[in-house]
Every structure is written in C-alpha cells, then in structure tokens.
Amino acid sequence: MASEVHCSIENGVAVLCMTRGAENALVRDMRAELSAAVARAVADETVLGLVLTGLGRGFSSGIDIEEYNQELQSPWITELCQEIEDAPKPVVAALHGSALGAGFELALAAHARVAKTGTAVALPEVRLGLLPGGGGTQRLPRLVGAQGSLKMILSGQIFNAEDQMLAPVFAHIVPDDPMSAAIQLARQLAQAGVWGKSSDSTHGFSDPTGYQRAIQSVRRKLTEDERLEADILRCIEAAQLLPFDQAIQLERTLFEARRISSSSRGIRHAFAAERRARAMPDLTGIIPKEIEKVVVVGTAPTQADLVVAALNRGKSVSILTSESVAAEQIASRVRDIYQTALERGRIDIIDRDTRLRELSASDDRSVISDADLVLDSGGVVIAHTKVKPDTAWCVLDEALYSTERAEQVGHPTMALRIYRPAYIPRLAELATNADSPTDAVARAVTYFSGQGATVLRTTERPGLLGHRLMYALERAALVLVRAGADLFETDEAAEALGFVRGPFRSMETQRLEQASQRIRRIMGPGTEAPELGLLEARAALMASGNAAGTGFYAAHEDKVLPDPAVRNWLDTWRTGQSDVRTDLSNIEGRSLQLALHAAFVNQAVAMMEAGDVLRASDIDLCMVKGYGFARTRGGPLLWADIQGLLPLLRTMKALTPLCDIWRPHPKIEDMVKNGERFFS
C-alpha cells in the first residue's frame, strides 16, 4: 500500500506531508504513519525541527465520520497530538485550504502554526453530536480564552485564520504557500532552543474573571436538553481549573460517552446519509451542460417559489400558463417576494432589478423550444412540441403522471417533488424511468443540488418516496383510531417516535379531503379501506375548511390544542361502523408507538425490495430532512436497528388481523432470523 505521509528534509527540517487524497482524512493508517514519521524525524540527529503539512486542497479534514461508529483504533488522535506536542524538537504546522476537526487539533498540538491567507479552521464536532476528541477543548482555551473557544466549539462554524479571535493561535499569516515561512520558523525555534506548548500556554487565562464570566453566561442559557453543550462547557471550564493531564482525560471520557450515545449516532447517521445520497452510479462520469433557461408551467402554489429559486441562481425564467393573466399573477407574486426581501435588507435594488430582468410571463408555448429545464405543474395543454433533446422536463408530483405528460408533449419526462420552502429547497425527490435520458437526469440533479437541495432518486409511483412512506404511518393511525385507540394519544405516540407532528395533525395541516385523496391514490383503485371513512366523514363535517384548529385540533390563543369534542364525535362515529373492533386486545402490551413504527418499517422494506429507493439511508434522510423526524434518532430505520427488529416483527404479526399494512414482508422475517440490521 502506498505511503500516505511523504517525508523529506529541507534545510535541516523534516517536512511531513499528508498525502491522502484531496482532504487528508486522518484515518487510522494515516495516523500510524504520521506517528512513525514523527518518531523517525526526532531520532534523526541531522533534523533540527519538523513541519507538518498536507498535500491537496487543505491541511486535513479530520477523522472520517465512519470511524466513530467503530471501536477507536490506536493511535487515536489524542495520542498522536500528545506525541507531537511532546516531541523534543520544534514542530510547526503549515496550514492552507482548511483544517477541520481533528485536523485543526493536530495543528493546535504543534509548537507553532503558520497559515496561508484564507485558511479555514473549525471544530465542527458538535454538528455530529460530539465534542472535540483530540484536545481541542483544552489547547484552544489555553490560547484564546473561554469566550473564543465557546464561540468556535459550540457553533461548529468555520472561521478564517485571520480572525482576530484566533490571533494567539498563529505565528504568521502569509499570502502564499506557508511552507517556506514554516521551515524558517522551525529552524529559528530549534536554534533558539526554546519553544512553547499549547498545553502550557496561559495566554487564554490572562483574565480569570472574564474567563469564568463567559462560562457562566453560557451556562445560564443552557436547557436540560442541551447535555452535549453542557459537556463542552465542563471541558472548557476544566481547562482553567485542572492540570492539563486531568482535563484532557475529562475530555476523552465525555467524548467517548457522547460517541457511543444513540443521539450522536443518529446525528452522524443523518450526516453520512446526506453524503451517500450524492452517489448515483448511473450518473458517474457525466458532466451535464449548464441550465440557462427555465420554463415554469402552470399555476401551482409552489410556482412563484420555483421562479425565485431559478432567478436567484442567475437563470432566465419564463412563466407559461394557459392564460397570460394567470402568468402575470405569478410574476406579480415573484415581484412581491423580491420587494419584501429588499425592504428587509436581504438584497439591494440592483440585485432585485437584475434578477427581475430575466423574468418573462405569457401563454406562448413556443418558449418551451429554448428550455433547458421545464418545471411542469400541469394546467396547460401542450401537444407534441419542439423540445431540445437534452431538456430536463420535470413534472411536479401530484399534478399529473409524468408518463402521461411525456405522451402529450412527445418528450421524456421525470416526476419531481420539491419540499417546501421551494425557493430555498432542502430536499427534492426525482423519479426516473427507463426512458429518462441520462443527460437530462444529470442536469436536473445538478441543478437542484446547486440550489442546496439533497436529491433523492426514486421510481415513479403515486406519492413518489415521502408520501408513500407517510401513507403507512397515516393509514396505520386511522386503523388504530377506528379500532378504539385515542386519536390524540396516537399523535403523541408518533411524536414520541421522532416525528415532528403526529399523523392526524399532519393530515389536518394538508386538509383532510386532500389527505384522503392522496392515500386512496397510493392505495390504488379498488382497494378497500374503511378507515378512510373517518377522514372523509370529518372532512364532510368541516366542509367549510380544514385549516389548523377546525379538523381534529382547536386553536387556543397562540397554540393548537386537541379539540375535546372530537373524542365524543369519534365515539358516535364508531357506533356506525358495523365491523369496527373496539377493544384492541390484539395489541395488548404493545404501545401505539411500536404499532406506528412497525407499519412504517414494513412499508419501507417493501419499497426497498421493489427497487423504489437506492439505499436504506435515503429513507431515513427523507424523513429527517423532509418531515422533521428527530435527527438525534437518525431516521425510523436506524431507530429500528437501535431498538431491535424483533419487537417490531411481533407487533406486525399481532396487528395483521386489523389491516394488511402490518403483514410482515418476508425480508423482515429473514432479517430477524439471520440477525441482520439495516445498517452495519
């Protein structure tokens, strides 16, 4: 295996250069090689000092996130940092690009640091549900104090090396390659015979009262739920109060406790799922042409947001509707959005006018001939028309089926669902089929990824990915309540499972009639679902509208609370259901939470086995980013791994008589039998 640390001697200084790809992730082999290289340089009598640097885009991106899911392998970053700091020869870190997480901790362990202008540094572990694990909570406070350390570690944000807060960290900031300055500094320190250690620094303690004031200020703001933040605070306070060896042990203990916690595992899982979602094997090696001209078809509520998102990226946008008046109405909403942004100081007049100059609106279908991307919500009759071969034609989900639209326009189409807010999309589902041109798919993926959205691939079925998954949860809830479960306790069970709101609260937000229609569309024609009668009866009762507070919940001042009249209404409604089960004896001893979770997992497995999703982590990511499922649990499938599949399987078997939504998929029985999980 090729070495990942290149060693050379320059002017009496050993230059140890990390060469693991562009990011120089500190994997176990890299750490071991770096440790050995430091030992060799220290033992070489011709070497005066050492310089640590990285080849590629930056110094180091830190620990590979997947390593946190295993037993930590030696040398761990704490040990490596200690070896560097204890070296009997001066060690200087030469930084460029970025030094993140353990990469920045490695630099902090050196005796001095030189950075190129624009170098980005961060301790982002808090975003993974962790605290720094290589001495960052101890060395940084000793250099910059409590306020700067708390700002950096609690936020996880990236800071520029030139930031005044970090002035004590860097010996020099240079405009070009930092290597020459680093080598020169290493020689100067060696010749002087004196250099400092970050662990011995007292610069950050120069104002002891201010140090404690910063800690107490943060402590007063913490809630009971912010346990990770409290651990970080303990470590930074320990930097002032404890000897370095004891404080570093405290950091290591708290780091390990966080690492093995289910909440950190969930956060890391969601983070890794976002990275995996970018991998689309069928698009490997394809570099799509830039999208310049976007045509937005129809008058769906999201159209104005889609127009704004395109204009914000400098695209030329045409709004096409069946009537020019309708197109102008959307254009007017777009102008209002920009006017509001101007009044709030988010853009200036020049930005607004520049973007709006790229907007046009009409009922002239010829605009399609120049389109690179069509965002189609229907409502416009378009017969076979001239379209560029590589145009990405995306039919918005729930508007019409893309296969039908493809026949109408004579051009391959894809189904698309953009999660709101569409003007700053966080998540998009793209459904393709065998006829979808690879170039067009790549253009659509690149376009929405460029807007900051995570794009999930799926197959074209009613509801695409997210709605089909939620269908299982919603239908299970309806069956349970029809059978006698309390409606509001069922919602509470879903929220306890990890969903941001329960299925009934969610369906009410969508409008009950629309929720019923969506569920029936997913079920397909001819499928019996007596439980939908609950939704439809309530929708009929509330025919005047089903905004929050009029379906199952009532508005109370600034809150939405359970409507007590609903329980009485349900009791009356159930008496009219000739086949209703009112005892729920078949879920005795099993919680509503388990029942809902079991239905969801069963549906997810069926979809995976049908090839409707590329990977299990895409399902979790869809729930976390699209439906607000608790990031600390990673997603419903990871939570199933953590809680165990056997209780879910037993629940499925117990509830199958109530509804086929719980009939166990054979794959689940195989997984339980063979001890398999969704994620290793």
Side-chain angles (χ1 to χ4, degrees), residues 178-189:
M179 280 302 302
S180 177
I183 291 171
Q184 182 179 356
L185 180 57
R187 285 183 58 83
Q188 290 173 352
L189 294 175

Side-chain angles (χ1 to χ4, degrees), residues 421-432:
Y423 62 90
I424 310 176
R426 299 178 64 248
L427 185 68
E429 296 174 17
L430 187 66
T432 58

